[in-house]
Amino acid sequence: MAELEGLEFGKSDFVLLDEVTMEQFMENLKLRFEKGRIYTYIGEVVVSVNPYRQMDIYGKDTVDAYRGRELYENPPHLYAVSDAAYKAMKRRAKDTCIVISGESGAGKTEASKYIMQYIAAITNPGQRAEVESVKNVLLKSNCVLEAFGNAKTNRNDNSSRFGKYMDINFNFNGEPTGGHINNYLLEKVRGWVGGQDDGGALNLLRGGSDEMLESFHLQNDPAVYIYTREGAATVTSNNDRSSHKAVMSALGVIGFSNEEINSIYQILASILLLGNVQFETDGESVQILGLEAIDHIAELTATEADSVIKSLLFRTVATGGGEVIEKGHTEQDACFGRDAFAKALYERLFCWIVNRINSVIEVKDYNPVLHGKNTVIGVLDIYGFEIFENNSFEQFCINYCNEKLQQLFIELILRQEQGEYQREGITWQHIDYFNNQIIVDLVEQPHKGIISILDEACLTVGKVTDTVCLESMDTKLAQHPHYTSRKLSPTDKTMDFQKHFRIRHYAGDVTYSVEGFLDKNKDLLFQDFKRLMYNSADPVLKEMWPDGQLSITEVTKRPLTAATLFKNSIVALVDKLGCKEPYYVRCIKPNEMKSPVLFDDARCQHQVAYLGLMENVMVRRAGFAYRQHYARVLQRYKMTCEYTWPNHLMASDREAVEAIVTQHGFQDDVAYGHTKLFVRTPRSLYTLEQERAALIPILVLFLQKVWRGALARMRCRRMRAIYAIMGCYKRYKVKAHFWEVESRFANVRTMADYGKSVEWPNPPAALSKFHKNTVMLHRRWWARQIVKNIPPSDMLEVRAKVAALTALSGERKDWGVSRAWERDYLANARDCPQTSSSFIRVSKDLRNKDMYSQVLFSGFCRKVNRFNKSTDRGLLITDKCVYKLEPNKQYKVLKRLPLDIVSTHMRDACTLSYIHGVYSTQSWKCALV
């Protein structure tokens, strides 16, 4: 069951519908389309609705979301089924295939491209060059095949005119190593040669350069050419130039040489010119109007112009006796031959391109013993069932193909169901379904089938018409329950006599017009054209027509008809798919207007019917609508049971699942397999889903609470750890600082300066105060060591200098710290002996007069009065008086002041001034004036 989608988007799996009715199916499909959900499951089948717009669901993030996931783990998507096919191939070494079907315009080609892109995106994570080269060629091959095999129509911008099956080979590592492409029924009649727009022709006419078109004798107006005139008038395009460059680039990447690319476009040009060749009847013979085009065709195909004319106007026939004669054409036969030649040219060109790509991407010289098993993923992009107003031979072949694929689809689905039931030990119940083998036999049964009747009519000698063939079918198939015609049902006026027949297909009744059946079935290409192309000087053309080497007398066996060739290829395809594990993508076209918002209920219901989607749902639900491994069921629904939440204590997951089922009372609606639980009705499943949806908000809140608590505890533990680390680091920094200080100052006792020159380490912030104290202690210790060496006789001077330092720090630069202090400077004036003798004489007189015992200080000073006039004076301080002297008058005493009347403050100031050596005039101004 797909997860991550709410009920507002409808049921993501049609198996889970309450009732399997067309009304509920269409209602769910429409709701999902309107909500932008273009993918829906039917079990493992993906139903895809063309959105007709670009959707942002294919980017790298989406690829990563689906890589390695199970189908039910994400919303429905092409990537889910692609990944499932890849996992089955890689894990179980089993070949798988993805079958994409739907009508024209349903999005099959785009789906195949997205599948290829996904497989390319998830492989080769090591970016090996050879693997990347293979991936590039596989992806670019899509571009080339679309250009030459798709057509732009009113119903579809990129309509595939062929069925394509691509095998991608993988080595044992799951890396792509090569591939192979098969194409089925290139629709020659319905392609651009028949009047519709083709990517190859328009790519050349509108995208080619003027020089290229001129070299090919073409004009860039598609309306000039009969084969493209109708398409050019009804369909327009604005990106042909870029498309042409993309195709040229892709051809180069794949490995086409420049000569091969040139040959491809020369053949396209010759086909366009061939369509414009006109004929006229001149009496008994037929002539070509205007030979210039013939010359251009001959030049482009590297043949002789006369040979081209001869092939268009005559047919070489071998008689029974071995004689070779030339038979001229009628105008009608010439036109048929021209068109048949053009169609064959284009078909051979397309097949050659496919074979050329295969020659590049096919695995060569692979040895399973050395490289492991080579596994394969097949991607089938093929036309869907078609019912038009006028259904012809092409619709007959296409619908037969879909009958075969539907038969395989039902058989494989039933086989898968039965195989799973047997593996899980569940009793298999018979499922009634429409077996379309009877319709397949109607078409392909030998001798009785429609293809056999058509082949018999084509081989019959004489004039056999489509009407004669219809009468033969009416005769041989009259009793068949799925065949009718107007002759067999005369009252049915929806059919015309001798024109229509009807087949009751599994998807509905289809009325076919028999007109043209025989012409389209038999090979109308004359051997003359084959020999003409084989004899071309262009090696590419020669390679395309190997059957042209036979001479007219050697060609005796009729070639197989188109219907038989197609039947053989489809039988081979079904056999190839039958041996692989299939995955299906069913594409639906929502409307005919290519609108991203319009949902045509009737149109979509018709497609749902002929794609067999309802039958698929019924087959899937016939036994059990839902099945899942016990571990997955337990993981999703364990919160709905008290015995399993949050974890069970039972012996196995199966017992835990049984407890969940028993608690909800679903015992009668389930079956227990060996590894899976099988639920019969969707109602039981949705009861579990509803209870789970109700509990999820509660669990979310609980988980949020637990998670927030866990986050808070984690943050708390982290903070504690941070603080513990910080504490340890701080302690380490402190210890490291102590160790550094210890190592730097270990030998300071023996140093000459006692460590004064040692630089202190920067302390951590926590030790800044301690660092200051330590520095102070060291300085004091250093000072102590210095002081210890000073003689006692000098201690008084030292103390005086310390006092001066304390008082004068920052006031004076030079305050006499470097010289010896003598106190009595006037008596010891060595530079002026006369002054010294004069002062000694005066001081002796004063000693005798005042009876002082000691001179404390003597020296010169400068007196500044209140008028800012200065005068030199001498100063003498004794233990009893302070004297102001006149140096210029033999040191005459100008003033005497006893010490006992000098204030303590002034005495200190005077003392400091004397010690300073240059005296403060302001102090003495107060003291001595």
Side-chain angles (χ1 to χ4, degrees):
M1 178 179 183
E3 298 185 14
L4 306 178
E5 282 193 328
L7 295 178
E8 68 271 15
F9 299 112
K11 306 290 178 61
S12 58
D13 194 329
F14 286 112
V15 173
L16 301 179
L17 292 173
D18 295 333
E19 297 180 8
V20 184
T21 63
M22 181 61 77
E23 289 74 17
Q24 283 208 9
F25 190 100
M26 294 304 301
E27 181 181 346
N28 189 62
L29 185 67
K30 183 176 182 179
L31 173 61
R32 291 184 62 78
F33 174 75
E34 292 173 346
K35 295 289 187 178
R37 299 303 192 267
I38 62 173
Y39 298 118
T40 313
Y41 288 141
I42 301 178
E44 294 181 349
V45 177
V46 175
V47 179
S48 171
V49 182
N50 192 340
Y52 285 120
R53 59 187 171 95
Q54 294 294 326
M55 300 191 70
D56 188 21
I57 56 173
Y58 304 103
K60 183 179 182 301
D61 293 340
T62 309
V63 171
D64 294 338
Y66 283 86
R67 186 199 308 263
R69 299 292 183 177
E70 301 297 333
L71 279 171
Y72 45 79
E73 291 187 275
N74 284 305
H77 201 289
L78 281 176
Y79 289 171
V81 72
S82 305
D83 196 79
Y86 180 76
K87 288 200 300 283
M89 178 274 301
K90 187 174 181 181
R91 293 176 180 175
R92 306 198 298 270
K94 186 174 180 62
D95 292 344
T96 60
C97 64
I98 302 173
V99 181
I100 309 169
S101 60
E103 71 168 47
S104 177
K108 302 186 298 300
T109 301
E110 290 299 312
S112 68
K113 287 197 292 187
Y114 285 130
I115 290 172
M116 295 283 292
Q117 290 171 7
Y118 179 80
I119 293 174
I122 65 174
T123 54
N124 192 31
Q127 297 295 307
R128 290 174 51 200
E130 61 272 20
V131 178
E132 285 299 306
S133 176
V134 171
K135 285 163 54 174
N136 288 335
V137 172
L138 290 172
L139 292 176
K140 292 298 184 182
S141 66
N142 277 329
C143 175
V144 175
L145 294 179
E146 283 182 22
F148 293 96
N150 290 14
K152 185 184 289 290
T153 68
N154 289 327
R155 303 180 65 221
N156 185 4
D157 286 341
N158 194 28
S159 178
S160 297
R161 320 317 286 163
F162 69 105
K164 179 184 68 176
Y165 176 75
M166 176 182 287
D167 269 334
I168 308 173
N169 300 91
F170 295 85
N171 61 15
F172 69 99
N173 282 331
E175 297 173 343
T177 58
H180 183 84
I181 300 171
N182 293 97
N183 64 291
Y184 302 95
L185 186 66
L186 177 62
E187 299 177 55
K188 298 177 291 183
V189 175
R190 203 171 59 169
W192 66 269
V193 173
Q196 292 192 15
D197 173 15
D198 165 74
L202 268 294
N203 184 277
L204 173 61
L205 294 177
R206 289 177 173 166
S209 63
D210 294 337
E211 294 78 7
M212 175 184 285
L213 294 178
E214 184 178 355
S215 66
F216 295 154
H217 309 289
L218 295 176
Q219 303 177 35
N220 61 1
D221 183 7
V224 173
Y225 305 99
I226 292 176
Y227 287 156
T228 56
R229 183 175 299 164
E230 181 181 344
T234 57
V235 184
T236 59
S237 177
N238 296 322
N239 60 349
D240 293 294
R241 179 80 62 173
S242 59
S243 298
H244 177 72
K245 291 181 179 179
V247 173
M248 295 286 284
S249 173
L251 289 170
V253 170
I254 292 172
F256 285 81
S257 65
N258 292 332
E259 292 76 13
E260 289 174 332
I261 296 173
N262 189 61
S263 294
I264 289 172
Y265 284 107
Q266 282 182 338
I267 294 171
L268 281 178
S270 64
I271 294 173
L272 289 171
L273 294 173
L274 190 61
N276 283 10
V277 173
Q278 300 296 319
F279 303 94
E280 67 173 356
T281 302
D282 182 14
E284 296 181 356
S285 62
V286 178
Q287 302 295 329
I288 296 176
L289 292 176
L291 296 179
E292 184 180 2
I294 299 298
D295 294 334
H296 295 333
I297 293 171
E299 177 188 341
L300 293 170
T301 57
T303 56
E304 297 293 334
D306 293 340
S307 299
V308 176
I309 295 173
K310 185 177 178 181
S311 299
L312 289 172
L313 298 180
F314 299 94
R315 176 186 179 188
T316 305
V317 180
T319 63
E323 182 182 358
V324 177
I325 61 173
E326 290 184 354
K327 182 180 178 182
H329 290 315
T330 64
E331 183 176 352
Q332 183 180 8
D333 289 341
C335 291
F336 281 148
R338 175 202 62 196
D339 292 339
F341 182 33
K343 296 168 186 175
L345 267 176
Y346 194 75
E347 181 185 26
R348 298 284 181 114
L349 171 63
F350 185 79
C351 292
W352 179 84
I353 292 174
V354 172
N355 293 333
R356 182 70 177 80
I357 295 174
N358 284 336
S359 69
V360 176
I361 64 176
E362 282 181 337
V363 180
K364 303 175 182 66
D365 302 327
Y366 190 87
N367 189 341
V369 177
L370 296 177
H371 305 101
K373 183 181 178 182
N374 185 356
T375 49
V376 169
I377 292 180
V379 180
L380 176 64
D381 171 11
I382 202 161
Y383 18 67
F385 200 87
E386 292 188 349
I387 304 177
F388 299 147
E389 291 183 4
N390 182 27
N391 301 290
S392 187
F393 180 76
E394 293 79 26
Q395 284 70 46
F396 171 75
C397 293
I398 288 171
N399 292 342
Y400 159 68
C401 170
N402 278 270
E403 289 285 358
K404 291 288 289 184
L405 292 176
Q406 178 67 11
Q407 180 189 29
L408 176 68
F409 174 68
I410 294 297
E411 287 180 356
L412 291 178
I413 290 294
L414 290 176
R415 189 189 307 166
Q416 287 177 344
E417 289 285 304
Q418 185 174 6
E420 185 168 32
Y421 287 171
Q422 290 176 347
R423 287 192 303 272
E424 294 293 328
I426 304 296
T427 303
W428 168 256
Q429 297 179 354
H430 176 71
I431 299 174
D432 292 326
Y433 67 97
F434 174 64
N435 189 343
N436 62 341
Q437 181 63 48
I438 188 173
I439 303 175
V440 173
D441 291 340
L442 169 65
V443 177
E444 69 177 16
Q445 189 175 13
H447 309 299
K448 295 181 181 180
I450 294 177
I451 291 179
S452 296
I453 297 172
L454 288 173
D455 289 351
E456 183 181 349
C458 291
L459 296 175
T460 301
V461 179
K463 190 67 173 178
V464 179
T465 63
D466 296 323
T467 302
V468 174
C469 181
L470 178 59
E471 291 176 356
S472 178
M473 287 192 293
D474 290 342
T475 302
K476 294 182 178 182
L477 304 173
Q479 302 303 318
H480 200 286
H482 290 269
Y483 175 87
T484 188
S485 66
R486 183 63 185 275
K487 180 180 178 180
L488 300 178
S489 301
T491 59
D492 189 350
K493 297 183 179 181
T494 59
M495 294 184 290
D496 295 337
F497 285 105
Q498 300 181 344
K499 181 179 180 181
H500 292 143
F501 68 93
R502 180 177 296 155
I503 296 178
R504 186 172 300 164
H505 290 281
Y506 78 91
D509 296 348
V510 182
T511 301
Y512 298 98
S513 172
V514 77
E515 293 179 351
F517 259 59
L518 294 182
D519 289 339
K520 296 174 182 178
N521 185 43
K522 60 188 177 183
D523 187 2
L524 295 177
L525 186 66
F526 301 133
Q527 189 69 18
D528 303 76
F529 292 117
K530 299 179 183 179
R531 286 193 292 270
L532 175 68
M533 292 296 98
Y534 180 76
N535 293 320
S536 169
D538 187 340
V540 174
L541 266 174
K542 189 178 183 70
E543 184 182 349
M544 292 180 191
W545 299 85
D547 48 348
Q549 62 182 322
L550 301 175
S551 67
I552 187 63
T553 57
E554 292 178 304
V555 181
T556 57
K557 187 177 180 181
R558 285 180 178 268
L560 295 176
T561 61
T564 299
L565 289 173
F566 183 67
K567 181 191 74 171
N568 294 341
S569 64
I570 294 301
V571 170
L573 171 64
V574 170
D575 291 341
K576 186 178 293 186
L577 295 177
C579 64
K580 294 179 173 62
E581 183 173 322
Y583 295 84
Y584 292 91
V585 178
R586 301 299 210 189
C587 299
I588 292 177
K589 182 178 183 178
N591 58 79
E592 293 287 349
M593 308 301 295
K594 304 176 186 176
S595 168
V597 295
L598 180 61
F599 187 89
D600 188 336
D601 293 83
R603 190 80 184 81
C604 294
Q605 184 171 331
H606 176 67
Q607 296 172 77
V608 168
Y610 72 64
L611 285 171
L613 300 184
M614 291 295 295
E615 289 79 2
N616 190 2
V617 177
M618 292 176 183
V619 167
R620 185 75 179 181
R621 283 178 52 128
F624 295 89
Y626 176 80
R627 72 286 310 271
Q628 193 54 265
H629 290 281
Y630 291 121
R632 293 285 184 179
V633 176
L634 182 63
Q635 180 182 3
R636 186 167 181 82
Y637 301 114
K638 64 181 180 179
M639 71 286 298
T640 64
C641 177
E642 58 181 332
Y643 302 110
T644 57
W645 177 259
N647 296 300
H648 69 87
L649 301 176
M650 303 177 191
S652 64
D653 289 345
R654 172 173 174 168
E655 293 183 15
V657 172
E658 288 180 1
I660 295 174
V661 172
T662 302
Q663 178 165 323
H664 292 86
F666 299 152
Q667 301 93 320
D668 299 332
D669 199 40
V670 301
Y672 299 99
H674 298 312
T675 62
K676 292 182 179 181
L677 173 70
F678 291 77
V679 181
R680 182 169 284 104
T681 62
R683 180 56 58 189
S684 300
L685 186 65
Y686 270 97
T687 300
L688 288 173
E689 282 292 325
Q690 289 173 355
E691 185 166 347
R692 178 180 181 274
L695 290 172
I696 286 297
I698 300 173
L699 296 178
V700 169
L701 290 175
F702 173 75
L703 292 175
Q704 286 179 343
K705 179 187 72 173
V706 172
W707 178 240
R708 286 169 180 163
L711 288 178
R713 286 187 287 274
M714 289 170 59
R715 284 195 294 269
C716 180
R717 288 193 294 270
R718 189 179 295 112
M719 293 301 295
R720 287 178 178 174
I722 290 172
Y723 284 124
I725 293 172
M726 289 172 59
C728 292
Y729 182 71
K730 287 180 179 179
R731 287 191 291 274
Y732 163 76
K733 292 292 287 185
V734 168
K735 292 179 180 179
H737 182 71
F738 290 159
W739 296 333
E740 183 66 20
V741 170
E742 182 182 5
S743 65
R744 292 189 183 188
F745 290 87
N747 300 317
V748 294
R749 292 182 181 275
T750 60
M751 296 174 65
D753 62 351
Y754 297 105
K756 183 178 180 180
S757 61
V758 176
E759 183 179 359
W760 286 84
N762 292 327
L767 293 180
S768 58
K769 187 174 181 180
F770 173 80
H771 176 71
K772 293 179 181 179
N773 294 334
T774 306
V775 172
M776 182 61 67
L777 287 174
H778 175 261
R779 288 177 179 174
R780 290 184 177 181
W781 175 83
W782 173 81
R784 176 63 182 166
Q785 298 302 113
I786 297 298
V787 169
K788 282 170 56 178
N789 297 326
I790 298 175
S793 59
D794 295 339
M795 285 304 297
L796 289 177
E797 182 179 346
V798 170
R799 290 183 184 278
K801 287 185 177 182
V802 170
L805 173 65
T806 304
L808 302 176
S809 177
E811 297 291 334
R812 290 267 318 208
K813 272 187 180 182
D814 183 15
W815 46 269
V817 68
S818 60
R819 67 176 181 268
W821 288 4
E822 299 178 3
R823 295 188 296 175
D824 195 0
Y825 291 99
L826 295 179
N828 299 321
R830 298 179 182 85
D831 54 345
C832 188
Q834 183 178 358
T835 300
S836 176
S837 61
S838 299
F839 176 74
I840 292 172
R841 180 177 51 81
V842 172
S843 64
K844 284 182 180 181
D845 293 341
L846 292 174
R847 182 190 299 272
N848 295 330
K849 181 179 178 181
D850 295 331
M851 302 300 291
Y852 65 84
S853 60
Q854 183 181 5
V855 175
L856 298 179
F857 181 81
S858 68
F860 292 104
C861 68
R862 179 167 293 176
K863 171 190 172 185
V864 180
N865 62 15
R866 66 174 59 90
F867 303 107
N868 202 26
K869 292 183 178 181
S870 62
T871 306
D872 291 334
R873 293 288 186 263
L875 183 67
L876 173 64
I877 302 175
T878 64
D879 55 356
K880 289 188 178 182
C881 297
V882 176
Y883 303 92
K884 182 172 69 171
L885 308 177
E886 173 59 65
N888 297 325
K889 294 182 180 182
Q890 301 295 321
Y891 292 100
K892 177 182 177 180
V893 176
L894 299 180
K895 192 170 183 178
R896 173 180 175 276
L897 187 67
L899 284 180
D900 55 355
I901 66 174
V902 177
S903 67
T904 303
H905 173 72
M906 290 303 300
R907 184 170 61 248
D908 291 339
C910 291
T911 302
L912 290 177
S913 298
Y914 288 132
I915 293 172
H916 199 339
V918 178
Y919 313 112
S920 172
T921 57
Q922 298 297 328
S923 301
W924 293 112
K925 185 176 182 179
C926 298
L928 301 177
V929 177

